[in-house]
Amino acid sequence: MGRIKTIARRSFLIGSAAIVGGVAFGTYMYKRDVANPLEADLGEGAATFNPFVKIDADAVTLITPRADVGQGAYSIQAHLIAEELDVDLDTVRIEPGPPSPAYYNGVVAVEGMPIAATSETMLARTGRGAANVVGKLMGLQLTGGSTTVPDMYERLREAGAVARETLIAAAAAQTGLEAGTLRTESGAVVLPDGVRLAYTDLAATAAETPVVEEVSLRDPSTWRHLGKPHMRTDMVAKSTGTQDYGIDLRMDGMVHATTRTNPALGGGILGFDASEAEAMRGVQAVLPITGGIAVVADNTWRAFQAAQAVACDWGDTPYIGDTALQFDAVATSFVEDRQDSRFKDEGDVTEALAGADVMEAEYRIPYLAHAPLEPMSVVVKLSDGRLDIWTGTQIPRFVQAGAASVAGLEAEDVYVHVLMSGGSFGRRLEDDYVRQAVEIAMQLPDTPIQMVWQREEDMTHDFPRPLAIARARGLASDSGVQGYDLSIAAPSVAKSSLARLGQPAMGPDVAIVAGAWDQPFAIPNYRVTGYRVPAMVPVSSWRSVGASGNGFLHECFFDEMCHSAGLDPLEERLRLCTHDVSRKVLEAVGEMSNWGSDPGAGRGRGLAFVLSFGVPVAQVVEVMDTGDGIRIDKVFVAADVGRVLDPVNFEAQVTGGVVWGLGHAMNCELTYAGGVAQQDNYHAFEGMRLYQTPQIEVRGLENGTKIQGIGEPGVPPAAPALGNAIFAATGQRIREMPFSKSVDFV
């Protein structure tokens, strides 16, 4: 043991020296200004003050680089800029901007670090700061991890303020007045006599005015946009069916394509016969691509039909191809040499759980598909050494690099035009479909090609949320929960995803235990261990990533322990809670749901709490055992993001997360036979129906000191709250998702 500690200590010192040496170089690089990508195509008389604001004689343009996949990212980013710039959003243009290191995400890397959100130690603060450095040095332009608001909150407000003060300076130079006598309002600089100089009229002067770098941000008490109910910038278009998504793009001379690859993942193609397809109406070409074929036709439907007519000789999958065997592989991974992490290890768990009164249980969660409504689609055109790509994506720079690699081009010759996405839930963190389209473009140069996947291709070639097994042991008495030992085995999302993007995955994968190891409860003997399952079906991030399943694994067994000892689940959580913000969230949901009162005959309430992505969320689900099945009547949710910047969208995101979490817990799983996903469309992967949707009451608290995002944290508590409610109503403890294997829902 002494030898192991010596090696660990020495490794830490060597690693620290390397980091310090890197900082000497990295500090210089980090402090360097990143080039403003808006300057490349800036027209005469136009001004740009930073990568987020551009003004010319025609319009004020706001750059909102975090992808909008339905969560309202464009809208909140625009409001952050507009609050300081003093513009009305119905008068400006909103664009996502080009791929650029200037749009790096400095927060997302924190989710990959073993830093509890409640920790404020020097090491924790240093780690969070290091994440920002890594994000900037890597130019990590990525949307995910509920980081849009925490990453952009200050940066976009500062960008708006810089533009505002520079425009005031331009007006002062143009009029000869003192800048201190001028103010701004609704897209104009207002002179002392009330004359208004529109920002667009000041563009040419502003282009010659030194940028004002020292600015003050406005006090929240003066905000016009933020913190107040307002309509999302895309609401009218989405409500009237006029919103354009990537799949809607049309160009002159465009042809339509689809691809078909081996349904047994990774199996490749041995050969194909396209004679029948080539004879079909509208078909222009059947082309080979990596792992399969592509069909090009004069419309998408004909491409779909022809693709199915191609006779393909498929190879065998290299992965464990059947669900039962996949779970066997997970079950055999609870061994020492597959231990990936043990971030939580408090007290003496082994000694505390050595007695005969210890509870034990095993929980399971399945693979889950992303299944966004808009299937994978992209438009590509390769011409004269220039490759243009139009698609909805969360990783524009990775798309750019991957496409350049396939086409044999330099990255600067690849132009990625980011479009609105019709859903993602993590699916658009991949670039596989873009790579396929580039292969087609290389065989059909000078032609705009729209490539769209069939729904069945989309479902069966997903990179799903990984399956997992948890083995839990615990000890509780009427004095409280005394010991909790939770072991979780799952494949590594980080290793699988990063490998596809050509990036290394080093160290433990926090996602395996996220939403379990970092919960703010002072259980005297408390241990959470992650075990890494050898790679099987390639997996990826899914809305709320590891916490999406770990909330169920952690919270339902906690509920079991409470009930076994006659403890009230809410009171016991409050007794153990070490985090004041989380405690207030628990108190709020108890008040909202009238916890402790009698719900009535055949009814039950279930509570769950999960702190994920820095956001504590507590949910109470109320169900009715109707005799014909379980009906979900009400859900109460309390969450704290530090400051609610858009109350309307906050409620929408929490509500959507609840419906997403409940629907998948009720009905959804992705199973495999021979390496082929058996659920190939929505009829076999059924979420919550409209008539099953409960009343959902949401309360946003603002006790936290940090600004956080809300796109994902509403998901993890939904499944365990439902499972605990079903137990309360029926006495049946469900330890495997989907719950429809055990109960019916009405």
Side-chain angles (χ1 to χ4, degrees):
M1 188 67 175
R3 169 69 172 160
I4 293 174
K5 286 186 176 179
T6 300
I7 293 172
R9 203 162 38 237
R10 185 176 300 151
S11 297
F12 174 77
L13 291 172
I14 293 171
S16 299
I19 291 171
V20 172
V23 167
F25 169 74
T27 300
Y28 167 72
M29 295 297 293
Y30 175 72
K31 289 185 175 180
R32 287 181 60 187
D33 289 334
V34 181
N36 183 351
L38 303 182
E39 293 176 349
D41 297 317
L42 203 61
E44 185 176 350
T48 179
F49 317 98
N50 49 60
F52 304 101
V53 181
K54 180 174 66 174
I55 299 176
D56 58 25
D58 296 322
V60 175
T61 301
L62 309 184
I63 305 300
T64 55
R66 295 292 175 263
D68 200 308
V69 293
Q71 83 281 37
Y74 287 167
S75 184
I76 189 60
Q77 290 174 92
H79 277 95
L80 285 165
I81 302 172
E83 188 64 69
E84 297 289 342
L85 182 54
D86 253 352
V87 291
D88 299 317
L89 290 181
D90 58 356
T91 66
V92 304
R93 294 173 182 167
I94 299 174
E95 297 178 359
S100 171
Y103 304 125
Y104 71 92
N105 190 326
V107 174
V108 71
V110 174
E111 283 300 312
M113 297 180 174
I115 302 174
T118 56
S119 177
E120 288 301 327
T121 65
M122 181 176 292
L123 184 61
R125 294 195 299 270
T126 300
R128 294 184 188 115
N132 189 69
V133 173
V134 170
K136 184 172 182 179
L137 294 180
M138 289 183 62
L140 189 61
Q141 186 178 358
L142 181 150
T143 305
S146 298
T147 58
T148 292
V149 169
D151 182 62
M152 288 295 197
Y153 175 66
E154 290 189 355
R155 290 169 66 190
L156 292 183
R157 290 169 64 211
E158 288 172 355
V162 165
R164 179 192 72 225
E165 295 303 318
T166 306
L167 286 161
I168 288 176
Q174 184 169 302
T175 61
L177 298 171
E178 290 291 330
T181 66
L182 311 180
R183 62 184 179 89
T184 58
E185 181 183 79
S186 298
V189 175
V190 183
L191 307 186
D193 60 2
V195 172
R196 299 169 61 87
L197 302 179
Y199 289 167
T200 49
D201 293 336
L202 288 168
T205 303
E208 304 299 325
T209 302
V211 173
V212 179
E213 299 285 0
E214 297 297 324
V215 297
S216 297
L217 299 181
R218 290 177 168 170
D219 188 272
S221 63
T222 68
W223 283 351
R224 295 191 306 128
H225 302 284
L226 299 175
K228 298 176 173 58
H230 54 256
M231 187 169 64
R232 267 174 44 172
T233 56
D234 58 358
M235 188 56 64
V236 171
K238 288 184 173 178
S239 299
T240 57
T242 56
Q243 176 66 60
D244 285 330
Y245 298 93
I247 203 169
D248 297 316
L249 184 62
R250 296 293 182 269
M251 294 182 178
D252 292 340
M254 175 184 288
V255 297
H256 301 265
T258 195
T259 62
R260 185 173 160 220
T261 56
N262 194 331
L265 297 176
I269 188 169
L270 305 178
F272 66 92
D273 180 357
S275 55
E276 181 180 345
E278 289 171 335
M280 296 175 70
R281 181 183 178 189
V283 173
Q284 299 177 8
V286 178
L287 306 170
I289 62 168
T290 301
I293 57 96
V295 172
V296 181
D298 58 359
N299 66 42
T300 299
W301 177 251
R302 289 172 181 165
F304 284 178
Q305 300 307 298
Q308 296 307 309
V310 178
C312 297
D313 183 11
W314 302 121
D316 296 328
T317 180
Y319 309 115
I320 298 174
D322 297 281
T323 293
L325 297 176
Q326 291 166 345
F327 270 113
D328 286 346
V330 180
T332 58
S333 292
F334 292 92
V335 293
E336 185 176 356
D337 64 353
R338 291 185 183 170
Q339 181 177 318
D340 187 69
S341 68
R342 184 170 283 169
F343 304 133
K344 173 80 73 175
D345 191 1
E346 298 173 355
D348 190 337
V349 174
T350 301
E351 176 67 22
L353 302 184
D357 297 330
V358 172
M359 295 178 58
E360 296 188 10
E362 181 175 285
Y363 282 77
R364 295 187 172 206
I365 59 174
Y367 286 116
L368 289 175
H370 296 88
L373 189 60
E374 180 192 15
M376 297 300 100
S377 64
V378 57
V379 174
V380 293
K381 183 179 180 182
L382 178 62
S383 184
D384 297 326
R386 172 182 170 130
L387 176 62
D388 283 274
I389 299 170
W390 294 265
T391 191
T393 178
Q394 295 168 253
I395 50 169
R397 294 198 71 216
F398 285 111
V399 165
Q400 183 183 48
S405 175
V406 172
L409 299 173
E410 297 297 324
E412 56 264 28
D413 295 322
V414 178
Y415 296 79
V416 179
H417 312 272
V418 179
L419 306 178
M420 182 75 79
S421 297
S424 172
F425 315 111
R427 184 60 179 89
R428 287 181 167 85
L429 288 167
E430 305 287 342
D431 69 347
D432 52 330
Y433 63 103
V434 176
R435 289 172 177 263
Q436 288 185 351
V438 173
E439 288 193 50
I440 300 170
M442 293 170 67
Q443 299 175 72
L444 293 175
D446 303 318
T447 304
I449 304 159
Q450 183 183 62
M451 193 279 289
V452 179
W453 277 5
Q454 299 178 71
R455 178 69 60 195
E456 290 77 10
E457 189 77 7
D458 202 14
M459 288 283 290
T460 56
H461 292 80
D462 194 10
F463 301 103
R465 195 277 306 273
L467 77 177
I469 294 177
R471 291 178 178 167
R473 302 170 67 242
L475 179 67
S477 65
D478 56 6
S479 63
V481 175
Q482 300 301 314
Y484 192 177
D485 187 12
L486 182 65
S487 297
I488 303 171
S492 171
V493 167
K495 183 175 181 180
S496 186
S497 297
L498 290 172
R500 290 190 293 277
L501 296 175
Q503 301 296 314
M506 298 176 288
D509 185 353
V510 177
I512 292 174
V513 292
W517 81 272
D518 49 356
Q519 301 308 288
F521 299 114
I523 300 171
N525 304 283
Y526 194 8
R527 183 166 69 195
V528 178
T529 308
Y531 293 89
R532 184 177 296 198
V533 177
M536 298 189 290
V537 172
V539 292
S540 182
S541 297
W542 187 88
R543 188 177 184 181
S544 69
V545 203
S548 67
N550 292 338
F552 169 64
L553 304 178
H554 184 277
E555 286 295 280
C556 282
F557 187 71
F558 187 93
D559 198 71
E560 283 200 55
M561 288 191 289
C562 289
H563 282 285
S564 74
L567 303 169
D568 180 274
L570 176 57
E571 291 180 2
E572 181 63 1
R573 284 178 174 84
L574 288 170
R575 184 186 74 84
L576 292 168
C577 188
T578 59
H579 183 227
D580 187 57
V581 176
S582 295
R583 182 180 296 106
K584 289 176 180 176
V585 165
L586 283 162
E587 291 171 344
V589 85
E591 175 196 332
M592 295 164 66
S593 63
N594 198 21
W595 183 268
S597 65
D598 183 1
R603 307 184 71 86
R605 294 192 190 103
L607 167 70
F609 169 92
V610 181
L611 195 161
S612 63
F613 304 94
V615 180
V617 181
Q619 296 184 18
V620 170
V621 171
E622 188 171 307
V623 302
M624 174 74 177
D625 184 1
T626 67
D628 294 323
I630 298 295
R631 185 182 70 225
I632 307 173
D633 287 333
K634 297 178 181 178
V635 180
F636 304 91
V637 191
D640 195 313
V641 292
R643 187 182 291 277
V644 178
L645 299 177
D646 181 348
V648 175
N649 201 47
F650 175 89
E651 182 175 352
Q653 287 302 296
V654 172
T655 300
V658 169
V659 172
W660 177 263
L662 292 177
H664 284 85
M666 291 163 61
N667 300 317
C668 295
E669 63 178 337
L670 202 61
T671 60
Y672 291 86
V676 181
Q678 299 301 286
Q679 295 74 25
D680 65 358
N681 212 318
Y682 290 126
H683 72 282
F685 195 79
E686 183 178 331
M688 176 178 276
R689 294 288 186 173
L690 186 61
Y691 70 85
Q692 296 174 314
T693 305
Q695 297 178 20
I696 303 174
E697 182 179 333
V698 177
R699 184 178 297 180
L701 306 183
E702 297 183 317
N703 297 307
T705 58
K706 299 175 184 175
I707 301 294
Q708 304 287 4
I710 196 60
E712 294 166 284
V715 175
L722 175 58
N724 294 339
I726 292 172
F727 172 80
T730 69
Q732 181 178 2
R733 181 65 68 180
I734 301 175
R735 299 191 180 100
E736 182 177 5
M737 291 197 282
F739 296 166
S740 57
K741 290 183 174 182
S742 303
V743 297
D744 293 324
F745 291 93
V746 295

